[in-house]
Amino acid sequence: MTKIAWIADIEKAFLNIALQPEDAEAIRFLWSTEPSKIGSPLIVYKWLRVPFGMSPSPFLLRAAVNKHLKSVYSRYPETVDQLMENLYVDDYLGGADEVETAKTREPETNILFSEAQLNMRSYATNSEELRQHLEEKGLENQAVGLLSPSLDKQQKVLGIRWDTGSDTLQFEPSTIVQAAEEIGEKITKRKILSISSRIFDPLGFLAPTVLLLKIIYQQLWEKDVDWDEVAPEEIQKSWKAVMKGVINFNQLKIPRWVGFGKDIVVAELHVFGDASEDAYGAVAYVRLQRENEKPFTTFLVSKTKVAPLPKRKVTLPRLELLSSLLAVRLGEAVRKALHIEKWRVTYWSDSLVTLGWIRGDANRWKPFVRNQVETIQGVSEKNWWKHCPGVQNPADLASRGGPAQALVDSQLCWHGPEWLIEEEDNWPDSTPEKQDPSIQEAIDAESRGAVVNITAAVAMPTEPIDWDLEFVSTWNRFLWSRAWMLRFSNRSRKRTRDPGVGLTEAIKVKDKVIRVV
């Protein structure tokens, strides 16, 4: 969200965290005294520092860093807040709207970590002025490890390639395409999953194409194909076609900065949802406007899911409702992650049936619809929901899937519908009016039947009961013992069993003591 961004990492982060002596005893390993000789005696070593690669290692590192940052919070509160939120294991992703702020954060960060005997290094940034500042201090790209390769001003930010020169996020799929071409004639389920899973896309930039692979995964499971069994011919053809087109992702250059800054006078979040018989998805955009300028939109994030199995049991209107639920959850995640809770939010769906459910009373619907509507209404207002024509819904490709080239060329996917940059008066009319009979019929199909509760009271004549109070030590014990007796009597006369003794029954016992009714 910030105009200026930079990355850095902690040098040998894990090995700079010492273990307690008693914990070191649990991390022992064997080592040959003479590795060049087979059968040489073995010696036992133990780790005195946190080793890289163990499951608890990231937690131990973060716990140690958090403890140190909290201890120095009063000195550099803003820098510590940013570190606490944007430190991922040993990678630091920083940002600022102005260069001077960035120049202040850099020395404060280095001081904080040096006090903990940690070295923050390998800075890279999209700002030329900040880059020169880092070079003067000898901090820019001090070292580049094998896990974070850089090439011609390109860095990897948590697995995504970032070109600092153009400040764009890019993809290099050549190694994935090569692996798919060299797979051989025996294309098994294991090989398909192994190669397809190499596409790393946490923000959903490639969601429509990745969705096609998800659908193929689901088809393999539906057909009960074993791991090392050759996939059916039609699935092989589909998978090869998708992987062949993946090379087109190298054409993508996605702006890292969405354009938000202090000069923005209108900031909105728009989330679209859509569904097909095979899957459903949601896409989020930011709509920003500077003073005396026309609004502009930018793709932010997307999410897709395949339809649950068996598909014949989940109707298309229900899948549309699930896409709206996914849209709400995606919108809430974006608002919290970017701290934009005060922005105006609008959710869009091309299903009038779904909008009818959301705008209605949740208790009116059958359990499945009611549960989803309750969740949706719990985090959004009814007037946040609007209707979008199906052909103009950017989530359509995210719900059906599409080849890589179609995604690269789709202006609708990357910027949303054209009317979104117009004034609100030019948006599609979402005023609830009299529905088409077929639409209203589909809405009412999920209505619950009317429930009528009838209560009848019958007076039964009884005889007074003599209670032996001299044999009871306390009043409460007397009440509960007689209540259990009444419970036994009631169960003896009827087949159904109620829960254990309750307060109301104890009161009835009390009533019989005073006057048996």
Side-chain angles (χ1 to χ4, degrees):
M1 292 292 286
T2 56
K3 184 176 181 179
I4 299 172
W6 62 87
I7 59 174
D9 68 77
I10 305 173
E11 183 181 7
K12 300 178 181 178
F14 294 103
L15 296 179
N16 279 299
I17 307 299
L19 288 171
Q20 293 288 349
E22 59 270 22
D23 293 331
E25 298 297 333
I27 312 179
R28 296 185 178 188
F29 61 96
L30 298 176
W31 193 257
S32 175
T33 54
E34 296 184 60
S36 59
K37 294 183 179 180
I38 299 177
S40 60
L42 299 177
I43 188 172
V44 179
Y45 285 96
K46 63 182 178 182
W47 284 92
L48 299 179
R49 302 296 180 114
V50 174
F52 177 81
M54 290 185 60
S55 298
S57 295
F59 165 77
L60 294 173
L61 171 62
R62 189 56 192 259
V65 171
N66 282 358
K67 180 176 177 60
H68 171 64
L69 292 178
K70 289 178 181 179
S71 68
V72 296
Y73 182 83
S74 59
R75 292 162 53 195
Y76 309 112
E78 293 183 358
T79 300
V80 170
D81 282 338
Q82 187 175 82
L83 287 167
M84 293 284 282
E85 185 173 359
N86 297 314
L87 192 64
Y88 303 90
V89 190
D90 59 345
D91 291 323
Y92 170 40
L93 280 61
D97 291 319
E98 299 177 355
V99 176
E100 294 305 318
T101 303
K103 290 181 178 179
T104 302
R105 293 277 165 81
E106 173 269 314
E108 291 180 354
T109 299
N110 289 336
I111 290 173
L112 290 176
F113 279 96
S114 63
E115 291 177 355
Q117 306 303 312
L118 297 171
N119 179 33
M120 186 67 76
R121 54 146 197 193
S122 300
Y123 280 85
T125 178
N126 64 321
S127 169
E128 185 62 34
E129 184 177 348
L130 180 60
R131 185 181 298 115
Q132 293 177 0
H133 170 77
L134 294 170
E135 287 179 350
E136 292 173 0
K137 302 184 72 172
L139 294 173
E140 201 227 3
N141 282 335
Q142 286 180 335
V144 178
L146 294 176
L147 298 178
S148 301
S150 66
L151 177 64
D152 193 21
K153 293 188 177 181
Q154 288 191 351
Q155 306 287 332
K156 271 200 172 182
V157 183
L158 301 181
I160 300 178
R161 190 177 296 273
W162 176 34
D163 188 322
T164 57
S166 61
D167 198 17
T168 57
L169 302 176
Q170 303 178 13
F171 295 88
E172 179 48 61
S174 57
T175 56
I176 300 175
V177 174
Q178 183 179 355
E181 292 174 347
E182 298 174 354
I183 194 172
E185 296 182 0
K186 188 178 180 181
I187 303 179
T188 63
K189 174 180 171 181
R190 188 187 303 276
K191 290 181 179 180
I192 288 176
L193 296 182
S194 174
I195 296 176
S196 302
S197 61
R198 297 183 188 181
I199 300 178
F200 183 65
D201 181 36
L203 297 179
F205 294 133
L206 318 178
T209 304
V210 174
L211 177 61
L212 294 178
L213 297 174
K214 291 181 180 179
I215 293 174
I216 290 175
Y217 302 163
Q218 191 179 61
Q219 291 173 349
L220 288 169
W221 288 104
E222 274 189 289
K223 295 181 180 297
D224 199 23
V225 178
D226 199 12
W227 282 105
D228 296 310
E229 181 182 347
V230 176
E233 187 66 28
E234 64 275 13
I235 292 182
Q236 290 190 39
K237 291 179 63 176
S238 299
W239 181 76
K240 286 180 179 178
V242 174
M243 298 307 297
K244 185 177 180 180
V246 166
I247 192 64
N248 294 310
F249 284 147
N250 60 9
Q251 304 173 31
L252 286 176
K253 292 186 177 181
I254 305 167
R256 178 204 58 83
W257 183 47
V258 299
F260 181 74
K262 293 181 179 180
D263 57 341
I264 296 297
V265 294
V266 176
E268 300 172 354
L269 177 65
H270 292 259
V271 188
F272 294 79
D274 199 7
S276 67
E277 294 181 352
D278 294 322
Y280 56 96
V283 187
Y285 299 86
V286 291
R287 180 179 183 269
L288 305 173
Q289 183 178 7
R290 296 183 176 90
E291 191 171 3
N292 300 323
E293 293 186 13
K294 192 174 182 178
F296 62 95
T297 56
T298 305
F299 175 95
L300 199 60
V301 65
S302 71
K303 179 76 174 178
T304 61
K305 287 189 175 184
V306 292
L309 296 174
K311 294 181 180 179
R312 64 180 180 274
K313 288 189 176 182
V314 185
T315 62
L316 187 57
R318 287 191 171 191
L319 287 173
E320 293 279 5
L321 181 62
L322 289 176
S323 74
S324 296
L325 177 65
L326 183 63
V328 162
R329 288 175 171 168
L330 183 64
E332 283 299 294
V334 169
R335 294 174 71 196
K336 292 178 181 178
L338 301 181
H339 306 293
I340 56 174
E341 290 86 350
K342 295 182 180 180
W343 285 22
R344 177 188 174 187
V345 183
T346 304
Y347 293 104
W348 298 86
S349 174
D350 58 18
S351 172
L352 292 173
V353 176
T354 296
L355 293 176
W357 289 336
I358 294 173
R359 290 168 177 168
D361 182 5
N363 293 321
R364 178 185 169 191
W365 315 119
K366 294 179 181 178
F368 179 88
V369 174
R370 182 193 66 218
N371 292 339
Q372 319 311 321
V373 170
E374 283 180 345
T375 303
I376 292 172
Q377 292 179 350
V379 293
S380 67
E381 300 293 336
K382 295 179 182 180
N383 59 2
W384 293 4
W385 288 88
K386 296 182 181 295
H387 178 255
C388 170
V391 294
Q392 300 173 7
N393 191 343
D396 179 73
L397 195 60
S399 67
R400 301 178 184 275
Q405 191 61 54
L407 174 61
V408 171
D409 297 335
S410 176
Q411 289 297 311
L412 180 63
C413 284
W414 296 113
H415 299 284
E418 293 182 357
W419 44 259
L420 197 57
I421 62 174
E422 303 294 336
E423 296 298 326
E424 188 170 353
D425 294 339
N426 297 324
W427 294 357
D429 185 13
S430 298
T431 305
E433 296 179 353
K434 185 177 180 180
Q435 301 281 8
D436 182 89
S438 61
I439 299 296
Q440 191 61 47
E441 189 176 319
I443 294 174
D444 294 338
E446 292 289 347
S447 296
R448 294 192 304 168
V451 179
V452 179
N453 295 322
I454 300 176
T455 303
V458 180
M460 299 292 293
T462 58
E463 295 294 332
I465 300 176
D466 292 328
W467 303 102
D468 299 322
L469 297 178
E470 63 273 15
F471 297 107
V472 181
S473 59
T474 65
W475 175 249
N476 285 337
R477 180 174 295 181
F478 166 75
L479 291 179
W480 285 102
S481 63
R482 267 50 184 179
W484 279 110
M485 292 168 62
L486 287 177
R487 172 65 69 193
F488 174 77
S489 177
N490 291 335
R491 286 183 175 178
S492 300
R493 288 197 294 265
K494 62 181 181 180
R495 294 182 180 179
T496 59
R497 291 194 171 190
D498 299 326
V501 177
L503 181 60
T504 55
E505 230 175 274
I507 294 174
K508 290 180 182 178
V509 177
K510 179 179 178 181
D511 291 340
K512 289 182 180 297
V513 172
I514 299 174
R515 175 64 180 173
V516 178
V517 179

